[in-house]
Amino acid sequence: MIIQENINIESFTTFKVPAFCKYFVKVNTVEELNEALDFCDEKKISLLVLGGGSNVLFTKKFNGLVVQLNLKGLKINEESHQHIIISAMAGEYWHSFVKYCVNHNYGGLENLSLIPGNVGTSPVQNIGAYGVEIKDTFNSLLALNISTRKIESFSNNQCEFGYRDSIFKNIAKNKYIILEVRFKLTTKNHILNYSYGAIKEELNKHKIVEPTIKDISKAIVNIRRSKLPDPMVLGNAGSFFKNPTIPLYKFKNIQKIYSEIPHYILSHNTVKIPAAWLIEKVGWKGKKVGNVGVHEKQALVLVNYGGGTGEEIYQLSEQIIRDVNKLFDILLEREVNIII
């Protein structure tokens, strides 16, 4: 295990902005992870665990230890008549894991194809797309308790999943490091979810009437590639903001002015509004400010056009939040973790 000092880890993040840290180490085993934690204790410094670098924005130097979790491996834990429980180590790249499952006819994750990041960070945010969230197939996970150094198991209920939320963003934040995640997937009689219009359109385009999980995965990959910039080409972290949930009375007031407002009714008194629609309505879609801006095809995505800094992207997000709040009285919440 080699600990590096005062380096720029920009290449390990998808925003591709300067990302300096006091110390950096890549760990390949739980033993090395414990050594890294010992180093933090000895130096009395903060710890930042980096997965795929797809959900973090550096606006200044991190004066602690950044640990890149490189734990690898897949294994089958249990098999039954039509289900399988498969585990993936935290350092596995999410899309590669989804492809593995799809290619082996394990159903349940196909709608989450091409989401950037690693397996270990997927439960933290309860990642989701096209009508599916991690919690739908999540079985359990193993995490290292930073204080006790013991490995603990968390069930689906114990993770307290919510919309882009979990216990690891709340009371368990910075207290655990996720090592391994287990999913319960189908091996036959798959429950397919292709109710979203974009998926249906993509399937119809290829004249697919009875889709397989491979068909759905491929359709979603095509949709995402057509709408979202490749972080290898254009620095970004995918969706920057959460879709806000607002009271029904507030939604009705907005609807009086904007009858076309898209929405999803969650309960008798709460409604979810697409953040992208709000951002577009205040004029930010496709707008560029210096070296950064809002993507021309997807208003949820903030991009680094080259030479941008984390501070520039952060200030852009501040302007967007202010403008949306001023017009709609809705306060957007960032999905991305900010090093500030």
Side-chain angles (χ1 to χ4, degrees), residues 264-289:
Y264 311 95
I265 296 173
L266 300 178
S267 68
H268 68 282
N269 59 2
T270 57
V271 181
K272 186 186 290 183
I273 307 296
W277 185 87
L278 298 171
I279 294 167
E280 186 172 351
K281 278 297 176 184
V282 295
W284 276 105
K285 186 177 181 181
K287 198 169 180 180
K288 187 176 178 183
V289 181

Side-chain angles (χ1 to χ4, degrees), residues 62-102:
F62 181 73
N63 285 307
L65 173 67
V66 174
V67 172
Q68 186 184 43
L69 210 54
N70 198 40
L71 308 179
K72 300 289 187 179
L74 305 177
K75 67 179 178 182
I76 304 302
N77 297 91
E78 293 178 31
E79 286 187 72
S80 63
H81 178 59
Q82 53 185 20
H83 288 95
I84 194 166
I85 294 179
I86 183 171
S87 65
M89 298 302 287
E92 291 287 343
Y93 184 61
W94 176 258
H95 182 56
S96 297
F97 172 57
V98 173
K99 282 201 299 184
Y100 176 89
C101 293
V102 169

Side-chain angles (χ1 to χ4, degrees), residues 32-310:
E32 288 183 350
L33 177 57
N34 275 305
E35 287 180 43
L37 293 175
D38 289 340
F39 180 82
C40 285
D41 291 343
E42 180 187 324
K43 294 282 187 180
K44 293 181 172 59
I45 55 175
S46 299
L47 170 75
L48 175 64
V49 179
L50 193 69
S54 62
N55 197 42
V56 63
L57 176 67
F58 284 78
T59 65
K60 67 174 186 178
K61 181 178 179 180
F62 181 73
N63 285 307
L65 173 67
V66 174
V67 172
Q68 186 184 43
L69 210 54
N70 198 40
L71 308 179
K72 300 289 187 179
L74 305 177
K75 67 179 178 182
I76 304 302
N77 297 91
E78 293 178 31
E79 286 187 72
S80 63
H81 178 59
Q82 53 185 20
H83 288 95
I84 194 166
I85 294 179
I86 183 171
S87 65
M89 298 302 287
E92 291 287 343
Y93 184 61
W94 176 258
H95 182 56
S96 297
F97 172 57
V98 173
K99 282 201 299 184
Y100 176 89
C101 293
V102 169
N103 289 337
H104 284 77
N105 196 38
Y106 303 151
L109 298 178
E110 55 278 357
N111 288 52
L112 304 179
S113 297
L114 210 64
I115 292 178
N118 287 359
V119 169
T121 52
S122 64
V124 177
Q125 259 190 282
N126 183 26
I127 62 171
Y130 298 103
V132 173
E133 293 178 316
I134 280 291
K135 67 177 179 63
D136 301 327
T137 53
F138 178 91
N139 173 262
S140 61
L141 64 79
L142 297 178
L144 182 69
N145 185 313
I146 294 173
S147 297
T148 66
R149 303 295 176 85
K150 291 181 179 179
I151 295 176
E152 300 178 20
S153 177
F154 286 79
S155 67
N156 195 311
N157 287 339
Q158 288 172 319
C159 287
E160 298 179 9
F161 290 123
Y163 171 61
R164 301 298 176 269
D165 199 18
S166 73
I167 193 172
F168 301 103
K169 292 186 77 173
N170 299 293
I171 62 172
K173 186 175 183 180
N174 300 325
K175 295 179 181 178
Y176 292 88
I177 299 172
I178 296 172
L179 307 175
E180 179 182 327
V181 189
R182 296 173 180 173
F183 298 89
K184 184 177 182 180
L185 306 178
T186 53
T187 55
K188 59 176 67 172
N189 301 323
H190 304 302
I191 300 171
L192 305 180
N193 189 330
Y194 54 100
S195 58
Y196 271 70
I199 304 176
K200 286 183 177 178
E201 287 174 17
E202 186 65 25
L203 293 172
N204 289 339
K205 188 192 301 182
H206 297 279
K207 299 180 180 178
I208 298 171
V209 179
E210 296 183 1
T212 63
I213 59 173
K214 278 190 177 182
D215 293 328
I216 292 174
S217 176
K218 188 175 180 180
I220 286 169
V221 167
N222 290 341
I223 294 165
R224 292 182 72 91
R225 282 181 173 157
S226 70
K227 291 182 177 180
L228 303 173
D230 183 346
M232 298 300 292
V233 178
L234 198 61
N236 74 90
S239 297
F240 198 91
F241 300 101
K242 292 182 180 182
N243 290 322
T245 299
I246 63 173
L248 182 60
Y249 78 86
K250 184 178 284 189
F251 164 73
K252 287 186 174 179
N253 288 337
I254 297 172
Q255 196 178 40
K256 288 175 184 176
I257 304 170
Y258 302 96
S259 59
E260 78 283 10
I261 182 172
H263 60 281
Y264 311 95
I265 296 173
L266 300 178
S267 68
H268 68 282
N269 59 2
T270 57
V271 181
K272 186 186 290 183
I273 307 296
W277 185 87
L278 298 171
I279 294 167
E280 186 172 351
K281 278 297 176 184
V282 295
W284 276 105
K285 186 177 181 181
K287 198 169 180 180
K288 187 176 178 183
V289 181
N291 296 312
V292 302
V294 180
H295 193 248
E296 61 184 4
K297 292 183 180 179
Q298 174 50 267
L300 270 183
V301 180
L302 306 191
V303 295
N304 174 16
Y305 287 106
T309 66

